[in-house]
Amino acid sequence: MNHRTGPLPVPATATAVAALRRLGFWGSILLPAAYLPVLYGMSGSDRTLALLVLLAVNVVCLIAGHQYQS
């Protein structure tokens, strides 16, 4: 008879999903802080492209971190 002591191990996929949710949650909170420096420091089409990329990454972070619970 095999007796285990302690909690059951967490599968690696569950750990990875939890880490991605955490990263997405905090990324969606902290990423908007980069908007103003991008708008101030760039000009023309570079600024537009950088802002669109930041917005797209922020949306991905919002989706990934939507179910995060601390």
Side-chain angles (χ1 to χ4, degrees), residues 3-69:
H3 292 285
R4 296 183 71 152
T5 58
L8 294 174
V10 178
T13 55
T15 303
V17 168
L20 285 175
R21 284 185 180 152
R22 185 179 321 114
L23 182 65
F25 175 80
W26 287 107
S28 65
I29 290 174
L30 297 175
L31 195 59
Y35 290 177
L36 287 177
V38 166
L39 289 174
Y40 180 75
M42 294 181 162
S43 63
S45 63
D46 289 341
R47 179 189 329 183
T48 304
L49 180 62
L51 189 59
L52 288 175
V53 168
L54 280 173
L55 285 171
V57 171
N58 200 356
V59 168
V60 170
C61 285
L62 283 168
I63 292 169
H66 179 70
Q67 295 182 353
Y68 174 71
Q69 296 175 354

